[in-house]
Amino acid sequence: AKASGRGFICFFESEMGARLRERSQLERDLRLALAEGGIALHFQPLHACATREVTAYEALLRWHHPVRGPVSPAEFIPVAEETGLILPLARWVLEEACAAAAAWERPCTVAVNLSPVQFRRGNLPALVAEVLASTGLPAHRLELEVTEGLLIEDAEGALEIMRALKAQGVRLALDDFGTGYSSLSYLRRFPFDKLKIDKSFTQAIGADPGAQVIVEAILAMGQSLKLRVTAEGVETEEQLDFLRRQGCDEVQGFLLGRPVPAGQIPGRAVVTAGM
Ligand code: C2E
Ligand code: CA
Ligand code: CA
Ligand code: CA
C-alpha cells in the first residue's frame, strides 16, 4: 500500500507540475498576444424573437495562438483572472467593443462580458465612464453581462457598483441564468434589465421535458419582474418556435448567427468632405 501510495504521489506531482508549467506558459503567451495584437473581438447577434431583427451584438474574445491555434476564452479567461492580466484585457475589450458599436450603421446595443475580478479591484464605474466618453457611445447602448457567482461572493459590494453603473445609464444583464444559485429574491435585489437563459436549458427544449419546464418558469418569472429575457444557444427552429410561443423576448445562437469579426458588421457611411 505504501509503495503504491508513493507512486500515486509521484504521478500527482508530475501531473501538477506539468499543469502549472502549462499555465504559466499560457500566461506568458497571453501577455504577449495582448501586447502584439494576437487577440480579437468577435460579435454575435441577438435577435428579437418575434421579428428576428438584430437587437444587439455580444462581444466575445478570440485568441489565435501561434502554435496551439484558437484557444477558447473558457480556457484563457480563468488564467487571466488568476494572474491579474484580466484587468488590462478587460479594459481593451470594453474600449474595442464600444468603439466598434459607435461606428455601426444601426444603433443597436453592444453587450460586454465582465469578470468578477473587475468588481473586486477594477474601479469599474470610472472605467465605463471614461470609455463611453472617449468612444462617444451613448450609455444606453452598452449592456454589461455578469454571472451569478459575483452576486453571491460579495452581494453588497456588487450591488453598490451596479447601482453606480445604472446611474450612468448603462444596462445590466444576468448571464448563464439557471446554472447558479440565484433565486427570485436575489433577482429583485439587483438592478438587472435582462436575464439570459443558459444554453444548457435552451438546448434541452424538445429533448428534456424537465428542462423545458425550467425555461417556462424562467420566462414567467422574467415577465413578472419586468425583465427582458434572452435565450442563449438557440440552434433549431423548434427551439426558436417554442421560445417565441412562450413569450421570450430575444434569442442568440448558431441558428440565427455565429460570432463574426467586427469588420463584418455594416458600418456607418463615412461622409467625405467636399461631397
Ligand atoms: P458566454 O458569455 O455565455 O458566451 C456565450 C458562448 O456561447 C460563446 O462561447 C458563444 O460562442 C457560444 N454560443 C453562442 N451561440 C451558441 C450556440 O448556438 N451553440 C453553442 N454550442 N454555443 C453557442 P465563447 O465565445 O467560446 O465564450 C465562452 C465564454 O468565455 C463566454 O460565455 C464568457 O463567459 C467568456 N468570455 C468570452 N469573451 C469574454 C470577455 O470579453 N470577457 C469575459 N470576462 N469573459 C468572456
Ligand atoms: Ca455572455
Ligand atoms: Ca452565457
Ligand atoms: Ca457561459
Side-chain angles (χ1 to χ4, degrees):
K2 218 173 189 175
S4 74
R6 193 155 61 205
F8 174 74
I9 288 168
C10 285
F11 165 77
F12 185 70
E13 281 173 352
S14 64
E15 180 86 339
M16 283 271 289
R19 247 181 240 163
L20 282 173
R21 274 193 303 280
E22 200 188 296
R23 286 221 125 183
S24 61
Q25 182 65 51
L26 203 63
E27 186 206 339
R28 275 196 299 276
D29 293 351
L30 188 57
R31 213 175 272 282
L32 201 69
L34 191 59
E36 297 184 344
I39 286 189
L41 269 192
H42 283 198
F43 292 89
Q44 185 180 29
L46 279 69
H47 302 257
C49 242
T51 62
R52 300 192 178 203
E53 220 172 13
V54 175
T55 51
Y57 288 94
E58 178 176 1
L60 295 162
L61 269 166
R62 293 291 176 262
W63 178 20
H64 194 93
H65 188 282
V67 178
R68 294 161 161 241
V71 183
S72 162
E75 189 180 343
F76 70 79
I77 296 236
V79 176
E81 287 176 335
E82 280 168 29
T83 57
L85 206 55
I86 191 72
L87 294 178
L89 183 61
R91 164 185 278 272
W92 180 84
V93 168
L94 193 65
E95 284 170 345
E96 285 286 308
C98 291
W104 290 338
E105 180 181 283
R106 294 187 50 243
C108 42
T109 303
V110 64
V112 174
N113 291 287
L114 296 182
S115 158
V117 177
Q118 294 178 266
F119 278 77
R120 287 197 297 268
R121 29 183 281 251
N123 200 359
L124 195 54
L127 173 68
V128 168
E130 181 198 322
V131 172
L132 290 175
S134 70
T135 58
L137 185 75
H140 68 89
R141 288 184 55 202
L142 176 62
E143 188 158 80
L144 300 172
E145 299 192 358
V146 304
T147 48
E148 293 165 86
L150 172 79
L151 314 181
I152 289 147
E153 266 173 43
D154 173 16
E156 284 312 313
L159 187 56
E160 195 179 315
I161 293 171
M162 288 169 72
R163 285 191 176 134
L165 292 167
K166 284 294 294 179
Q168 292 183 42
V170 167
R171 290 189 291 181
L172 298 173
L174 181 55
D175 204 355
D176 299 348
F177 187 72
T179 58
Y181 307 91
S182 333
S183 61
L184 202 61
S185 64
Y186 253 101
L187 279 183
R188 289 186 36 165
R189 265 181 83 192
F190 294 92
F192 287 112
D193 301 283
K194 179 186 282 188
L195 289 183
K196 295 185 82 174
I197 301 177
D198 190 70
K199 57 177 175 287
S200 59
F201 296 108
T202 305
Q203 287 169 357
I205 294 170
D208 174 357
Q212 200 156 308
V213 170
I214 293 176
V215 171
E216 289 177 25
I218 295 173
L219 287 166
M221 195 174 79
Q223 280 153 13
S224 62
L225 290 173
K226 305 228 165 16
L227 296 168
R228 288 178 69 76
V229 182
T230 302
E232 300 186 310
V234 176
E235 293 183 354
T236 68
E237 287 289 348
E238 184 190 10
Q239 289 160 358
L240 176 57
D241 219 56
F242 174 84
L243 290 160
R244 191 177 45 228
R245 279 186 278 111
Q246 295 295 324
C248 186
D249 300 293
E250 277 174 345
V251 288
Q252 177 179 8
F254 295 167
L255 175 70
L256 297 182
R258 287 182 178 262
V260 295
Q264 288 186 26
I265 302 170
R268 271 204 316 252
V270 178
V271 182
T272 320
M275 278 182 65

